[in-house]
């Protein structure tokens, strides 16, 4: 009987190919998927978990698995196998017997369940999606995968495996399942595809390790850092604490005109409306596009965290720039977990892209993080040469969270002393830059995003000129030795 079925399979497959239709490459076994023993809750992510490229694949006979593994090795990317919750049997996969695979492929609504999930999908900005060709299309489990995550702003590059069929319309027919993704043209590989062939294809498509930015690693060429939420954030910006009215609008305008693309505010600053106005005007005048800038705001303890949905919406309404790139909780509060979960809902609705915390330290984070589902993308704390947080910064960064420093120049009442420090002044003279630039560069080389506040156009411009010089290891150590554990504000 088995021989008869195989003969029928061969005859029908040949006829399908001869008629010019996509040949169905339905495998006769499922060696790679059946062998998986991970529990339903396992994420099954291999490699180090901090790549921004993911290879996701479904394999039946192992052909797609081999291509996926080659691709992962070439890119040093994370790899995830899409494993059916109900594994396919050999009988399920026999052609033209009205078996399970036949029925699924003939049913456009079929969505086979997947065992396990990817908890950190937000960290990936590029997903290579692999699958075998079944009846000229991707197996329906690929539909399940695409409908399980938010692929907005991600790049998806499909690849398929078959004995002779091309990728055909299989990848194009997947586009509707992730409409907000950027889809690249897919490629078909045979079982004998070499690693060199795959490397050449990746190079042709512009996907390579050389352009793969790791989460939390500063890119001094693009002046950005990749957040664990999958978004890129500028590593230097403008702080707007105490700026109001025309002074605030003019400062933001000046910053945007000088290439600043990160603006930090908060509900408690009382200037969200002015900042929103300045941004909208800059967009109207063609200085920037909305997607070019990154805006951070915060909600405050007390009534704002007690009524978080109302407070979050108020921030969105005052800024009136479509969405907020990052929202933080300003300080710990009895209602902080409730408020954070409210922010998570706004993320799902697309009105906030990333979320994080401000003024959280080791003890607070140890208590807070187990209570929430989303790892913060950013922690914003006071950091300057006299208060360096050398125990806190590594603790945060090791969790894949980016650190941002407020009061990078010491804060009001202390800036003069810090800028006049003889160690910093000597280093500034050696590089022919200002003391402020030395301090800001020191932060950047420690992996700390800087948001110095100013309304002075000359200072705003100066604070952006941080990339034409670098500090030596000795100079970094000299500044590190200035730490007094001297906090300049109460939080």
């Amino acid at each position: 009987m088995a021989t008869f079925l195989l003969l029928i399979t061969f005859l029908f497959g040949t006829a399908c190919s001869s008629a010019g239709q996509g040949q169905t490459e339905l495998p006769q076994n499922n060696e790679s998927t059946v062998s998986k023993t991970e529990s339903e809750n396992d994420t099954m992510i291999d490699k180090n978990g901090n790549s921004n490229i993911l290879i996701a694949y479904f394999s039946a006979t192992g052909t797609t698995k081999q291509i996926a593994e080659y691709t992962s090795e070439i890119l040093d990317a994370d790899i995830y196998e899409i494993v059916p919750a109900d594994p396919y049997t050999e009988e399920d996969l026999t052609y033209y017997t009205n078996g399970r695979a036949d029925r699924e492929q003939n049913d456009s609504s079929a969505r086979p369940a997947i065992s396990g999930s990817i908890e950190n999908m937000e960290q990936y900005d590029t997903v290579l999606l692999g699958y075998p060709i079944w009846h000229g299309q991707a197996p329906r489990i690929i539909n399940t995968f695409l409908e399980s995550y938010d692929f907005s702003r991600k790049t998806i590059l499909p690849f398929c495996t078959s004995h002779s069929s091309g990728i055909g319309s299989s990848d194009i027919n997947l586009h509707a399942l992730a409409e907000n993704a950027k889809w690249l043209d897919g490629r078909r590989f045979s079982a004998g595809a070499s690693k060199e062939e795959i490397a050449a294809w990746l190079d042709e498509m512009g996907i390579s390790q050389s352009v793969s930015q790791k989460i939390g690693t500063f890119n001094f060429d693009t002046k950005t850092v990749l957040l664990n939420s999958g978004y890129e954030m500028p590593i230097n910006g403008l702080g707007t604490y105490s700026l109001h009215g025309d002074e605030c609008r003019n400062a933001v305008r000046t910053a945007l005109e000088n290439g600043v693309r990160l603006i930090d505010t908060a509900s408690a600053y009382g200037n969200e409306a002015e900042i929103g106005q300045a941004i909208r005007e800059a967009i109207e005048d063609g200085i920037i596009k909305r997607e070019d800038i990154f805006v951070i705001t915060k909600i405050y303890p007390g009534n704002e965290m007690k009524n978080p949905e109302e407070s979050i919406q108020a921030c969105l309404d005052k800024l009136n720039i479509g969405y907020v790139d990052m929202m933080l909780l300003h300080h710990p509060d009895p209602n902080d977990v409730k408020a954070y979960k409210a922010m998570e809902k706004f993320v799902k609705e697309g009105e906030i892209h990333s979320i994080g915390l401000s003024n959280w330290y080791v003890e607070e984070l140890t208590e807070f993080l187990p209570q929430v589902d989303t790892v913060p993308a950013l922690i914003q704390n006071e950091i300057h040469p006299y208060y360096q947080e050398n125990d806190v910064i590594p603790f945060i960064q090791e969790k894949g969270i980016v650190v941002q420093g407020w009061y990078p120049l010491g804060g009001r009442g202390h800036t003069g002393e810090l800028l006049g420090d003889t160690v910093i002044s000597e280093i500034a003279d050696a590089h022919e830059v200002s003391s402020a630039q030395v301090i800001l560069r020191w932060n950047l080389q420690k992996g700390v995003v800087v948001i110095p506040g100013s309304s002075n156009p000359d200072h705003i411009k100066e604070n952006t000129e941080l990339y034409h010089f670098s500090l030596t290891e000795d100079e970094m150590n000299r500044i590190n030795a200035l730490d007094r554990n001297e906090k300049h504000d109460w939080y």
Side-chain angles (χ1 to χ4, degrees), residues 324-352:
V324 168
D325 299 273
M326 172 83 72
M327 184 169 285
L328 311 177
L329 301 184
H330 212 139
H331 304 286
D333 180 81
N335 289 303
D336 52 23
V337 173
K338 173 185 175 182
Y340 195 86
K341 290 182 179 296
M343 293 197 302
E344 289 177 322
K345 293 178 183 177
F346 278 78
V347 170
K348 291 180 180 178
E349 294 168 1
E351 296 186 84
I352 299 174

PDB file of all heavy atoms in Angstrom, residues 324-352:
ATOM      1  N   VAL A 324       3.900  58.420  20.867  1.00  0.00           N
ATOM      2  CA  VAL A 324       5.073  58.722  21.698  1.00  0.00           C
ATOM      3  C   VAL A 324       6.076  57.592  21.505  1.00  0.00           C
ATOM      4  O   VAL A 324       5.727  56.416  21.564  1.00  0.00           O
ATOM      5  CB  VAL A 324       4.680  58.850  23.183  1.00  0.00           C
ATOM      6  CG1 VAL A 324       5.910  58.857  24.064  1.00  0.00           C
ATOM      7  CG2 VAL A 324       3.875  60.122  23.403  1.00  0.00           C
ATOM      8  N   ASP A 325       7.318  57.950  21.266  1.00  0.00           N
ATOM      9  CA  ASP A 325       8.341  56.935  21.035  1.00  0.00           C
ATOM     10  C   ASP A 325       8.692  56.175  22.312  1.00  0.00           C
ATOM     11  O   ASP A 325       8.963  54.973  22.257  1.00  0.00           O
ATOM     12  CB  ASP A 325       9.600  57.596  20.473  1.00  0.00           C
ATOM     13  CG  ASP A 325       9.325  58.269  19.149  1.00  0.00           C
ATOM     14  OD1 ASP A 325       9.411  57.594  18.108  1.00  0.00           O
ATOM     15  OD2 ASP A 325       8.993  59.472  19.143  1.00  0.00           O
ATOM     16  N   MET A 326       8.695  56.878  23.434  1.00  0.00           N
ATOM     17  CA  MET A 326       9.041  56.244  24.715  1.00  0.00           C
ATOM     18  C   MET A 326       8.285  56.921  25.838  1.00  0.00           C
ATOM     19  O   MET A 326       8.249  58.152  25.913  1.00  0.00           O
ATOM     20  CB  MET A 326      10.550  56.366  24.968  1.00  0.00           C
ATOM     21  CG  MET A 326      11.009  55.914  26.346  1.00  0.00           C
ATOM     22  SD  MET A 326      11.259  54.141  26.463  1.00  0.00           S
ATOM     23  CE  MET A 326      12.761  53.940  25.501  1.00  0.00           C
ATOM     24  N   MET A 327       7.677  56.100  26.706  1.00  0.00           N
ATOM     25  CA  MET A 327       7.055  56.646  27.921  1.00  0.00           C
ATOM     26  C   MET A 327       7.662  55.943  29.133  1.00  0.00           C
ATOM     27  O   MET A 327       7.844  54.723  29.135  1.00  0.00           O
ATOM     28  CB  MET A 327       5.539  56.478  27.907  1.00  0.00           C
ATOM     29  CG  MET A 327       4.872  57.138  29.114  1.00  0.00           C
ATOM     30  SD  MET A 327       3.065  57.245  28.968  1.00  0.00           S
ATOM     31  CE  MET A 327       2.903  58.586  27.790  1.00  0.00           C
ATOM     32  N   LEU A 328       7.978  56.747  30.138  1.00  0.00           N
ATOM     33  CA  LEU A 328       8.598  56.227  31.354  1.00  0.00           C
ATOM     34  C   LEU A 328       7.710  56.490  32.557  1.00  0.00           C
ATOM     35  O   LEU A 328       6.909  57.431  32.569  1.00  0.00           O
ATOM     36  CB  LEU A 328       9.950  56.911  31.599  1.00  0.00           C
ATOM     37  CG  LEU A 328      10.949  57.006  30.438  1.00  0.00           C
ATOM     38  CD1 LEU A 328      12.183  57.793  30.883  1.00  0.00           C
ATOM     39  CD2 LEU A 328      11.333  55.629  29.941  1.00  0.00           C
ATOM     40  N   LEU A 329       7.867  55.668  33.581  1.00  0.00           N
ATOM     41  CA  LEU A 329       7.353  56.015  34.903  1.00  0.00           C
ATOM     42  C   LEU A 329       8.417  56.867  35.575  1.00  0.00           C
ATOM     43  O   LEU A 329       9.590  56.476  35.625  1.00  0.00           O
ATOM     44  CB  LEU A 329       7.082  54.751  35.725  1.00  0.00           C
ATOM     45  CG  LEU A 329       6.080  53.748  35.141  1.00  0.00           C
ATOM     46  CD1 LEU A 329       5.852  52.604  36.126  1.00  0.00           C
ATOM     47  CD2 LEU A 329       4.758  54.416  34.795  1.00  0.00           C
ATOM     48  N   HIS A 330       8.024  58.044  36.095  1.00  0.00           N
ATOM     49  CA  HIS A 330       9.000  59.038  36.538  1.00  0.00           C
ATOM     50  C   HIS A 330       9.735  58.629  37.815  1.00  0.00           C
ATOM     51  O   HIS A 330      10.912  58.945  37.998  1.00  0.00           O
ATOM     52  CB  HIS A 330       8.302  60.382  36.748  1.00  0.00           C
ATOM     53  CG  HIS A 330       9.162  61.561  36.451  1.00  0.00           C
ATOM     54  ND1 HIS A 330       8.705  62.671  35.799  1.00  0.00           N
ATOM     55  CD2 HIS A 330      10.468  61.808  36.704  1.00  0.00           C
ATOM     56  CE1 HIS A 330       9.680  63.562  35.684  1.00  0.00           C
ATOM     57  NE2 HIS A 330      10.768  63.051  36.223  1.00  0.00           N
ATOM     58  N   HIS A 331       9.044  57.955  38.705  1.00  0.00           N
ATOM     59  CA  HIS A 331       9.630  57.477  39.969  1.00  0.00           C
ATOM     60  C   HIS A 331       8.864  56.252  40.433  1.00  0.00           C
ATOM     61  O   HIS A 331       7.720  56.046  40.033  1.00  0.00           O
ATOM     62  CB  HIS A 331       9.531  58.534  41.091  1.00  0.00           C
ATOM     63  CG  HIS A 331      10.128  59.845  40.774  1.00  0.00           C
ATOM     64  ND1 HIS A 331      11.476  60.059  40.729  1.00  0.00           N
ATOM     65  CD2 HIS A 331       9.556  61.041  40.471  1.00  0.00           C
ATOM     66  CE1 HIS A 331      11.712  61.317  40.424  1.00  0.00           C
ATOM     67  NE2 HIS A 331      10.570  61.940  40.246  1.00  0.00           N
ATOM     68  N   PRO A 332       9.446  55.444  41.332  1.00  0.00           N
ATOM     69  CA  PRO A 332       8.687  54.357  41.940  1.00  0.00           C
ATOM     70  C   PRO A 332       7.488  54.913  42.703  1.00  0.00           C
ATOM     71  O   PRO A 332       7.508  56.042  43.201  1.00  0.00           O
ATOM     72  CB  PRO A 332       9.704  53.708  42.891  1.00  0.00           C
ATOM     73  CG  PRO A 332      11.039  54.029  42.297  1.00  0.00           C
ATOM     74  CD  PRO A 332      10.876  55.412  41.715  1.00  0.00           C
ATOM     75  N   ASP A 333       6.430  54.117  42.797  1.00  0.00           N
ATOM     76  CA  ASP A 333       5.175  54.546  43.419  1.00  0.00           C
ATOM     77  C   ASP A 333       4.384  53.292  43.786  1.00  0.00           C
ATOM     78  O   ASP A 333       4.564  52.237  43.158  1.00  0.00           O
ATOM     79  CB  ASP A 333       4.383  55.400  42.419  1.00  0.00           C
ATOM     80  CG  ASP A 333       3.062  55.905  42.977  1.00  0.00           C
ATOM     81  OD1 ASP A 333       3.088  56.910  43.704  1.00  0.00           O
ATOM     82  OD2 ASP A 333       2.018  55.292  42.685  1.00  0.00           O
ATOM     83  N   PRO A 334       3.512  53.348  44.787  1.00  0.00           N
ATOM     84  CA  PRO A 334       2.698  52.174  45.118  1.00  0.00           C
ATOM     85  C   PRO A 334       1.886  51.641  43.935  1.00  0.00           C
ATOM     86  O   PRO A 334       1.549  50.455  43.896  1.00  0.00           O
ATOM     87  CB  PRO A 334       1.779  52.691  46.231  1.00  0.00           C
ATOM     88  CG  PRO A 334       2.573  53.772  46.884  1.00  0.00           C
ATOM     89  CD  PRO A 334       3.320  54.434  45.771  1.00  0.00           C
ATOM     90  N   ASN A 335       1.586  52.520  42.968  1.00  0.00           N
ATOM     91  CA  ASN A 335       0.802  52.097  41.799  1.00  0.00           C
ATOM     92  C   ASN A 335       1.661  51.922  40.552  1.00  0.00           C
ATOM     93  O   ASN A 335       1.132  51.919  39.432  1.00  0.00           O
ATOM     94  CB  ASN A 335      -0.294  53.128  41.510  1.00  0.00           C
ATOM     95  CG  ASN A 335      -1.397  53.096  42.556  1.00  0.00           C
ATOM     96  OD1 ASN A 335      -2.007  52.062  42.779  1.00  0.00           O
ATOM     97  ND2 ASN A 335      -1.623  54.224  43.203  1.00  0.00           N
ATOM     98  N   ASP A 336       2.986  51.771  40.731  1.00  0.00           N
ATOM     99  CA  ASP A 336       3.842  51.747  39.541  1.00  0.00           C
ATOM    100  C   ASP A 336       3.611  50.525  38.651  1.00  0.00           C
ATOM    101  O   ASP A 336       3.650  50.635  37.422  1.00  0.00           O
ATOM    102  CB  ASP A 336       5.318  51.910  39.899  1.00  0.00           C
ATOM    103  CG  ASP A 336       5.808  50.942  40.971  1.00  0.00           C
ATOM    104  OD1 ASP A 336       5.187  49.879  41.149  1.00  0.00           O
ATOM    105  OD2 ASP A 336       6.826  51.259  41.621  1.00  0.00           O
ATOM    106  N   VAL A 337       3.354  49.369  39.240  1.00  0.00           N
ATOM    107  CA  VAL A 337       3.097  48.185  38.416  1.00  0.00           C
ATOM    108  C   VAL A 337       1.792  48.366  37.625  1.00  0.00           C
ATOM    109  O   VAL A 337       1.729  48.064  36.428  1.00  0.00           O
ATOM    110  CB  VAL A 337       3.027  46.911  39.277  1.00  0.00           C
ATOM    111  CG1 VAL A 337       2.580  45.711  38.444  1.00  0.00           C
ATOM    112  CG2 VAL A 337       4.391  46.628  39.914  1.00  0.00           C
ATOM    113  N   LYS A 338       0.784  48.881  38.277  1.00  0.00           N
ATOM    114  CA  LYS A 338      -0.491  49.170  37.605  1.00  0.00           C
ATOM    115  C   LYS A 338      -0.269  50.146  36.447  1.00  0.00           C
ATOM    116  O   LYS A 338      -0.788  49.946  35.342  1.00  0.00           O
ATOM    117  CB  LYS A 338      -1.479  49.762  38.613  1.00  0.00           C
ATOM    118  CG  LYS A 338      -2.778  50.266  38.020  1.00  0.00           C
ATOM    119  CD  LYS A 338      -3.631  50.938  39.097  1.00  0.00           C
ATOM    120  CE  LYS A 338      -4.889  51.558  38.512  1.00  0.00           C
ATOM    121  NZ  LYS A 338      -5.697  52.250  39.561  1.00  0.00           N
ATOM    122  N   ALA A 339       0.496  51.191  36.689  1.00  0.00           N
ATOM    123  CA  ALA A 339       0.748  52.192  35.655  1.00  0.00           C
ATOM    124  C   ALA A 339       1.558  51.606  34.501  1.00  0.00           C
ATOM    125  O   ALA A 339       1.308  51.910  33.330  1.00  0.00           O
ATOM    126  CB  ALA A 339       1.473  53.392  36.247  1.00  0.00           C
ATOM    127  N   TYR A 340       2.521  50.756  34.820  1.00  0.00           N
ATOM    128  CA  TYR A 340       3.351  50.135  33.780  1.00  0.00           C
ATOM    129  C   TYR A 340       2.507  49.231  32.887  1.00  0.00           C
ATOM    130  O   TYR A 340       2.658  49.234  31.657  1.00  0.00           O
ATOM    131  CB  TYR A 340       4.475  49.339  34.439  1.00  0.00           C
ATOM    132  CG  TYR A 340       5.600  48.954  33.511  1.00  0.00           C
ATOM    133  CD1 TYR A 340       6.650  49.833  33.269  1.00  0.00           C
ATOM    134  CD2 TYR A 340       5.625  47.710  32.893  1.00  0.00           C
ATOM    135  CE1 TYR A 340       7.699  49.487  32.435  1.00  0.00           C
ATOM    136  CE2 TYR A 340       6.672  47.347  32.046  1.00  0.00           C
ATOM    137  CZ  TYR A 340       7.705  48.238  31.821  1.00  0.00           C
ATOM    138  OH  TYR A 340       8.741  47.893  30.988  1.00  0.00           O
ATOM    139  N   LYS A 341       1.628  48.461  33.501  1.00  0.00           N
ATOM    140  CA  LYS A 341       0.749  47.585  32.722  1.00  0.00           C
ATOM    141  C   LYS A 341      -0.190  48.398  31.834  1.00  0.00           C
ATOM    142  O   LYS A 341      -0.551  47.956  30.731  1.00  0.00           O
ATOM    143  CB  LYS A 341      -0.032  46.663  33.652  1.00  0.00           C
ATOM    144  CG  LYS A 341       0.829  45.598  34.322  1.00  0.00           C
ATOM    145  CD  LYS A 341       0.017  44.671  35.195  1.00  0.00           C
ATOM    146  CE  LYS A 341       0.894  43.604  35.845  1.00  0.00           C
ATOM    147  NZ  LYS A 341       1.512  42.691  34.869  1.00  0.00           N
ATOM    148  N   ALA A 342      -0.570  49.574  32.290  1.00  0.00           N
ATOM    149  CA  ALA A 342      -1.389  50.454  31.447  1.00  0.00           C
ATOM    150  C   ALA A 342      -0.580  50.912  30.237  1.00  0.00           C
ATOM    151  O   ALA A 342      -1.094  50.974  29.108  1.00  0.00           O
ATOM    152  CB  ALA A 342      -1.878  51.657  32.247  1.00  0.00           C
ATOM    153  N   MET A 343       0.695  51.232  30.446  1.00  0.00           N
ATOM    154  CA  MET A 343       1.552  51.617  29.326  1.00  0.00           C
ATOM    155  C   MET A 343       1.692  50.462  28.338  1.00  0.00           C
ATOM    156  O   MET A 343       1.721  50.673  27.121  1.00  0.00           O
ATOM    157  CB  MET A 343       2.932  52.069  29.816  1.00  0.00           C
ATOM    158  CG  MET A 343       2.926  53.367  30.608  1.00  0.00           C
ATOM    159  SD  MET A 343       4.570  54.155  30.761  1.00  0.00           S
ATOM    160  CE  MET A 343       5.528  52.874  31.550  1.00  0.00           C
ATOM    161  N   GLU A 344       1.770  49.241  28.843  1.00  0.00           N
ATOM    162  CA  GLU A 344       1.866  48.077  27.972  1.00  0.00           C
ATOM    163  C   GLU A 344       0.658  47.987  27.039  1.00  0.00           C
ATOM    164  O   GLU A 344       0.794  47.620  25.857  1.00  0.00           O
ATOM    165  CB  GLU A 344       1.984  46.794  28.800  1.00  0.00           C
ATOM    166  CG  GLU A 344       3.321  46.633  29.511  1.00  0.00           C
ATOM    167  CD  GLU A 344       3.397  45.390  30.377  1.00  0.00           C
ATOM    168  OE1 GLU A 344       2.366  45.046  31.020  1.00  0.00           O
ATOM    169  OE2 GLU A 344       4.462  44.757  30.425  1.00  0.00           O
ATOM    170  N   LYS A 345      -0.516  48.331  27.537  1.00  0.00           N
ATOM    171  CA  LYS A 345      -1.726  48.307  26.702  1.00  0.00           C
ATOM    172  C   LYS A 345      -1.628  49.333  25.579  1.00  0.00           C
ATOM    173  O   LYS A 345      -2.017  49.065  24.440  1.00  0.00           O
ATOM    174  CB  LYS A 345      -2.964  48.579  27.564  1.00  0.00           C
ATOM    175  CG  LYS A 345      -3.284  47.495  28.571  1.00  0.00           C
ATOM    176  CD  LYS A 345      -4.506  47.863  29.413  1.00  0.00           C
ATOM    177  CE  LYS A 345      -4.787  46.812  30.470  1.00  0.00           C
ATOM    178  NZ  LYS A 345      -5.932  47.208  31.351  1.00  0.00           N
ATOM    179  N   PHE A 346      -1.104  50.514  25.897  1.00  0.00           N
ATOM    180  CA  PHE A 346      -0.962  51.549  24.874  1.00  0.00           C
ATOM    181  C   PHE A 346       0.076  51.148  23.822  1.00  0.00           C
ATOM    182  O   PHE A 346      -0.029  51.554  22.663  1.00  0.00           O
ATOM    183  CB  PHE A 346      -0.582  52.887  25.518  1.00  0.00           C
ATOM    184  CG  PHE A 346      -1.755  53.647  26.080  1.00  0.00           C
ATOM    185  CD1 PHE A 346      -2.319  53.303  27.293  1.00  0.00           C
ATOM    186  CD2 PHE A 346      -2.307  54.714  25.374  1.00  0.00           C
ATOM    187  CE1 PHE A 346      -3.404  54.000  27.813  1.00  0.00           C
ATOM    188  CE2 PHE A 346      -3.383  55.429  25.879  1.00  0.00           C
ATOM    189  CZ  PHE A 346      -3.939  55.069  27.101  1.00  0.00           C
ATOM    190  N   VAL A 347       1.076  50.358  24.232  1.00  0.00           N
ATOM    191  CA  VAL A 347       2.054  49.843  23.272  1.00  0.00           C
ATOM    192  C   VAL A 347       1.357  48.918  22.277  1.00  0.00           C
ATOM    193  O   VAL A 347       1.568  48.993  21.064  1.00  0.00           O
ATOM    194  CB  VAL A 347       3.198  49.099  23.990  1.00  0.00           C
ATOM    195  CG1 VAL A 347       4.066  48.352  22.979  1.00  0.00           C
ATOM    196  CG2 VAL A 347       4.054  50.079  24.784  1.00  0.00           C
ATOM    197  N   LYS A 348       0.508  48.036  22.781  1.00  0.00           N
ATOM    198  CA  LYS A 348      -0.206  47.106  21.907  1.00  0.00           C
ATOM    199  C   LYS A 348      -1.105  47.847  20.927  1.00  0.00           C
ATOM    200  O   LYS A 348      -1.345  47.383  19.811  1.00  0.00           O
ATOM    201  CB  LYS A 348      -1.029  46.132  22.756  1.00  0.00           C
ATOM    202  CG  LYS A 348      -0.187  45.150  23.549  1.00  0.00           C
ATOM    203  CD  LYS A 348      -1.043  44.209  24.378  1.00  0.00           C
ATOM    204  CE  LYS A 348      -0.176  43.239  25.171  1.00  0.00           C
ATOM    205  NZ  LYS A 348      -0.999  42.345  26.035  1.00  0.00           N
ATOM    206  N   GLU A 349      -1.604  49.001  21.339  1.00  0.00           N
ATOM    207  CA  GLU A 349      -2.479  49.793  20.477  1.00  0.00           C
ATOM    208  C   GLU A 349      -1.694  50.695  19.529  1.00  0.00           C
ATOM    209  O   GLU A 349      -2.288  51.380  18.686  1.00  0.00           O
ATOM    210  CB  GLU A 349      -3.424  50.633  21.343  1.00  0.00           C
ATOM    211  CG  GLU A 349      -4.410  49.783  22.148  1.00  0.00           C
ATOM    212  CD  GLU A 349      -5.142  50.579  23.223  1.00  0.00           C
ATOM    213  OE1 GLU A 349      -4.887  51.803  23.322  1.00  0.00           O
ATOM    214  OE2 GLU A 349      -5.953  49.981  23.957  1.00  0.00           O
ATOM    215  N   GLY A 350      -0.362  50.716  19.660  1.00  0.00           N
ATOM    216  CA  GLY A 350       0.479  51.473  18.752  1.00  0.00           C
ATOM    217  C   GLY A 350       0.646  52.937  19.099  1.00  0.00           C
ATOM    218  O   GLY A 350       1.290  53.684  18.351  1.00  0.00           O
ATOM    219  N   GLU A 351       0.096  53.382  20.233  1.00  0.00           N
ATOM    220  CA  GLU A 351       0.198  54.797  20.585  1.00  0.00           C
ATOM    221  C   GLU A 351       1.487  55.115  21.335  1.00  0.00           C
ATOM    222  O   GLU A 351       1.888  56.275  21.441  1.00  0.00           O
ATOM    223  CB  GLU A 351      -1.020  55.205  21.414  1.00  0.00           C
ATOM    224  CG  GLU A 351      -2.324  55.104  20.646  1.00  0.00           C
ATOM    225  CD  GLU A 351      -3.503  55.635  21.430  1.00  0.00           C
ATOM    226  OE1 GLU A 351      -3.723  56.861  21.402  1.00  0.00           O
ATOM    227  OE2 GLU A 351      -4.186  54.828  22.085  1.00  0.00           O
ATOM    228  N   ILE A 352       2.118  54.103  21.884  1.00  0.00           N
ATOM    229  CA  ILE A 352       3.443  54.205  22.490  1.00  0.00           C
ATOM    230  C   ILE A 352       4.285  53.100  21.859  1.00  0.00           C
ATOM    231  O   ILE A 352       3.814  51.982  21.682  1.00  0.00           O
ATOM    232  CB  ILE A 352       3.392  54.005  24.020  1.00  0.00           C
ATOM    233  CG1 ILE A 352       2.524  55.066  24.688  1.00  0.00           C
ATOM    234  CG2 ILE A 352       4.791  54.027  24.612  1.00  0.00           C
ATOM    235  CD1 ILE A 352       2.313  54.827  26.176  1.00  0.00           C
TER     236      ILE A 352
END
